[in-house]
Amino acid sequence: MIVTRRELKYPIGEMDYYKVNEMFKSVLSPDPNNKEYGYTIRSLYFDSINNDDYYAKTGGEEVRKKIRLRIYDTKTEKVKLEIKRKININQIKETATISKEDAIKLINKEYSVLLKYDNQTCQSAYNIMTIGQYQPVVLVDYNRRAYIHNENNIRVTLDSDIRSNEFEFDMFSEDIMMTPIFEYYNALLEVKFDGELFCWISQALTDLDTTNRSLSKYCSGRRFYENYIL
């Protein structure tokens, strides 16, 4: 599956979090996966041996990418493999589903497991990861509340309790110690849409005590690398 759309990101404090959550809950439809307090997402990000994707993001390059594995339950047998590409203001996300067994092999840099899938995303990931000698670099998890509107394929997400680990990459373990990423923000509000955004949503965003910023959970999660390696 390949999805192309625009994306806005706003780091928000605790008061704005509850404010916008109540607003979107009243005017948008809840994501079917939402439980009482949302749902959990865990992503394992990969980068090349030279950390090319990290430097493309921090350097502000207009064309860049990220490769990750994503799960919603540590007991799952199915894992999403995703390639996220940024081309100017547009986001393109390519997604494929692989088995837990193959995800573990990929974490161990056995790229050839992707060749068994008759899938363009797996083929692209195999080429990228083989050429760049990709390896896991940071595990990120958080809680998400999501709301949707069919018009313009609008999707609003509120991600809180965002944490990371740069040393342990067993994404199926429940015993990994995770460290909070942000010190000054309670959550990250993301608005994804096709075409134009409703004016009332735009107005609601301008009323927040924040601005649209190109924040990356991937780069923000690599605090040890940023502080002690660079």
Side-chain angles (χ1 to χ4, degrees):
M1 180 175 66
I2 301 177
V3 178
T4 304
R5 57 206 320 210
R6 292 189 60 189
E7 182 177 85
L8 303 174
K9 296 184 179 183
Y10 299 85
I12 57 176
E14 185 174 7
M15 293 299 293
D16 276 339
Y17 175 88
Y18 290 107
K19 173 184 174 182
V20 296
N21 182 60
E22 289 302 312
M23 180 188 68
F24 289 128
K25 186 162 56 174
S26 65
V27 296
L28 297 176
S29 301
D31 185 293
N33 296 306
N34 275 4
K35 300 175 184 176
E36 183 178 0
Y37 300 104
Y39 57 96
T40 300
I41 294 176
R42 173 170 283 184
S43 297
L44 178 61
Y45 290 88
F46 293 74
D47 208 335
S48 72
I49 194 170
N50 295 317
N51 292 288
D52 294 323
D53 297 343
Y54 176 88
Y55 289 116
K57 170 61 178 177
T58 57
E61 294 182 18
E62 293 188 347
V63 178
R64 54 185 185 266
K65 67 183 180 308
K66 291 193 290 282
I67 296 181
R68 69 190 180 200
L69 294 176
R70 170 165 287 188
I71 59 174
Y72 304 91
D73 181 350
T74 55
K75 297 180 175 62
T76 186
E77 293 298 322
K78 299 294 183 180
V79 181
K80 284 186 176 181
L81 168 65
E82 298 182 338
I83 306 174
K84 285 195 71 175
R85 304 180 192 270
K86 179 73 178 293
I87 303 175
N88 297 319
I89 63 173
N90 294 312
Q91 298 272 355
I92 301 174
K93 184 168 73 172
E94 305 171 43
T95 304
T97 300
I98 64 174
S99 69
K100 175 181 178 179
E101 179 184 5
D102 288 339
I104 292 172
K105 290 180 180 179
L106 195 59
I107 292 169
N108 291 320
K109 300 172 63 176
E110 296 181 37
Y111 316 118
S112 60
V113 299
L114 297 176
L115 296 177
K116 69 167 70 173
Y117 296 92
D118 184 17
N119 180 283
Q120 181 180 340
T121 300
C122 288
Q123 183 64 60
S124 295
Y126 171 78
N127 293 336
I128 293 169
M129 297 178 82
T130 302
I131 293 171
Q133 290 296 291
Y134 273 58
Q135 59 193 354
V137 290
V138 64
L139 187 65
V140 176
D141 66 21
Y142 49 93
N143 186 75
R144 167 166 287 180
R145 281 174 161 153
Y147 303 95
I148 57 179
H149 194 293
N150 290 333
E151 188 73 25
N152 290 349
N153 196 20
I154 295 171
R155 179 174 174 83
V156 177
T157 58
L158 284 162
D159 297 338
S160 60
D161 195 21
I162 308 173
R163 306 172 301 164
S164 70
N165 187 309
E166 297 175 71
F167 308 101
E168 298 182 64
F169 305 126
D170 181 1
M171 66 188 306
F172 304 100
S173 172
E174 298 182 4
D175 299 322
I176 292 181
M177 182 177 294
M178 305 292 284
T179 303
I181 288 179
F182 298 118
E183 297 177 356
Y184 305 107
Y185 305 111
N186 182 70
L188 186 62
L189 164 64
E190 298 186 15
V191 182
K192 304 177 181 72
F193 58 98
D194 301 335
E196 300 297 326
L197 190 61
F198 289 154
C199 61
W200 61 267
I201 294 182
S202 298
Q203 182 58 50
L205 296 175
T206 61
D207 292 339
L208 296 175
D209 185 23
T210 185
T211 57
N212 176 32
R213 293 177 55 185
S214 182
L215 279 175
S216 164
K217 297 186 188 75
Y218 163 57
C219 289
S220 298
R222 300 194 67 184
R223 297 176 65 179
F224 180 85
Y225 179 78
E226 180 179 301
N227 293 330
Y228 300 103
I229 305 300
L230 292 183

